[in-house]
Amino acid sequence: MTLLELDGVQKRFGAVEALRGVTLAVDAGEVVALVGDNGAGKSTLMKTITGVYRPDGGAIRFEGQDITGLEPGAIRARGIEMIYQDLALARQQDVAANIFLGREPVRRLLGVLPMIDRRRIETEALRMVRRLGARLPSVHYEVGLLSGGQQQSVAIARALTFDPKLVIMDEPTAALAVREVEHVLELIRELRRQRIGVILISHRLTDVFAVADRIVALRQGMVIADERAAATTMQEVVAHIVGAH
Amino acid sequence: MADAAAPVRPPLSHRLSFRIESLVVLLVLCTAMAVLSPYFLSVSNFLNILLATATIGVLAIGATFVICAAGIDLSLGSVLGLSGVVGAIFSVKLEVPWPMALVAGLATGAAAGFVNGILVTRGGIPAFIVTLGMLGIARGLALILTNGQAVYGLDPALVFLGQGRPWGVPMPALVFLLVALVTHWLLAYTRFGRYTLVIGDNEAAARAMGIRVERHKVALYTLSGLLAGTAGILFMARVNAGDPTAGLGYELTAITAAIIGGTNLFGGRGSILGTFIGALVMGVLQNGLNLLAVQSYYQQMAIGTVLIFAVWLDQSSRRRGR
Ligand SMILES: Nc1ncnc2c1ncn2[C@@H]1O[C@H](COP(=O)(O)OP(=O)(O)OP(=O)(O)O)[C@@H](O)[C@H]1O
Ligand SMILES: [Mg+2]
């Protein structure tokens, strides 16, 4: 079943044409790797999906419905989560607050006064952190005090806590140690088993070949290759990225 | 590194939402004043301090919200003046019932804040410039509306807001406490408050997580204006006049109080409890300087010095990793 469809998506920043008509589809339970050189437009493409950028042309459909131009909150509510390359964390908030950012459960004190339900946030964040096996000192820790890898775990936990249907990961393993990278790759396989769609952006081609069903190469804002992982080789993918084809 | 299963308690300074130093400063200041002046330690002087702190305190709460979101509102003092003038004109010249005059004053403050918010978000003009412009506009408007003359002869009910003393406690102090309670709940316990801090912390992240950043900022500047309007009404009621020069330079004191209380000048952190303490520090300082008969010119210098010192202290302790 087609989960996400991009149809001729365009985006420009002033004189820079970051996306020149990208067409792409992702099925439920499919892991699609998106590769390309620095500045190819990978992050821009993903941010147009999540509503951070409004596309200048083309259409985006999710579960058959047009989501082009919706706000990030509305798109998250439909089940698209993204782990941003810069992680998008509030450094002065603690781990639990970051995991629930934008989705804080609210209880009513004495039946009237709305308050963020801190206890629920803490217990559920802790459960998620444990499930992911992330190495964090405590969910009460300010995120800014954590190491780069730990911060990445927080961003991953946030993307997976609310039963997403599609998870977009922009370099999710860039700051992780070997053990944690293995863990993320295992997570991606687990997502596939749960019929969740995954778009993985990575410069580490060994990781890409370890988990991806399909590999899409982007160059200067255009899709220049879209192949089954089993039907291609690392040399071919490298050639697409650097533009030898 | 421990596992999440065995949680490590973060250091105390991270669990408190305000700076302990501000409380220490307040105690030291009070002790010094008590030694220097025999009048300092009396119930009536304590109530005086609360009364004198009320206007600045309400203003400082407005400053706190905006600074927490990495903005700034320099128009606080002028909007205070304009709101008081409008309230007085409605009461004295238009002779409307006092609740309407009250609402007119508050609405003026909120409207000025709303304009600030729209210009900052839609216009894309830096908050520093927008609110500096509003500082001039609101003050000028207050002077034009009154011809530069204070408007006297308020409804007694309005005067009660400034001079009344139910159970011996000055009304402005009661209003200040009430405003502090409500805004403390708002900043510390609600989504609105948390999003305010997150916007100041990482605006792009806030947007990506679905927070409506622009709308929220407009609400924040409007709230700041509304609080300036509240302070304006309190000031007007206390001096029993719509004075177009009321609140001149008060933004300096208000922002200083917020910073002393632990509000991060660059956004993402702050609390009303801290600002409450910060406002008391400023109140005690001014009260003490008054008791010691220090000229107000020197008081201005003292406040300016405290502001720079507080920011320096905050920044250097942050650099050391607190
Ligand atoms: N907000 C922006 N404003 C202006 N230009 C932008 C913006 N975001 C991206 N660009 C430009 O768009 C192009 C694509 O950038 P993008 O970040 O999507 O690349 P990328 O494929 O994610 O690269 P990397 O592998 O380095 O993360 C670049 O030329 C970049 O300079
Ligand atoms: Mg990128």
Side-chain angles (χ1 to χ4, degrees), chain A residues 125-196:
Chain A
L126 187 60
R127 187 182 311 146
M128 197 61 197
V129 165
R130 281 188 182 148
R131 207 184 102 197
L132 295 179
R135 308 194 131 220
L136 300 174
S138 142
V139 290
H140 302 293
Y141 242 66
E142 256 178 60
V143 160
L145 300 174
L146 300 174
S147 76
Q150 290 171 330
Q151 293 187 14
Q152 210 147 28
S153 319
V154 176
I156 292 170
R158 179 173 65 194
L160 301 184
T161 299
F162 297 94
D163 301 323
K165 293 170 182 164
L166 173 70
V167 180
I168 299 171
M169 305 184 176
D170 198 346
E171 295 283 352
T173 58
L176 297 186
V178 180
R179 193 190 76 116
E180 271 71 24
V181 171
E182 267 317 308
H183 206 95
V184 170
L185 296 180
E186 192 42 55
L187 262 173
I188 293 175
R189 293 188 192 102
E190 171 65 28
L191 292 174
R192 173 166 48 204
R193 279 191 289 273
Q194 294 174 17
R195 305 292 298 156
I196 293 165

Side-chain angles (χ1 to χ4, degrees), chain A residues 13 16 18 36-45 53 85 203:
Chain A
F13 297 108
V16 181
D37 218 340
N38 292 128
K42 306 181 296 293
S43 296
T44 304
L45 182 62
Y53 295 146
Q85 194 166 13
H203 290 295

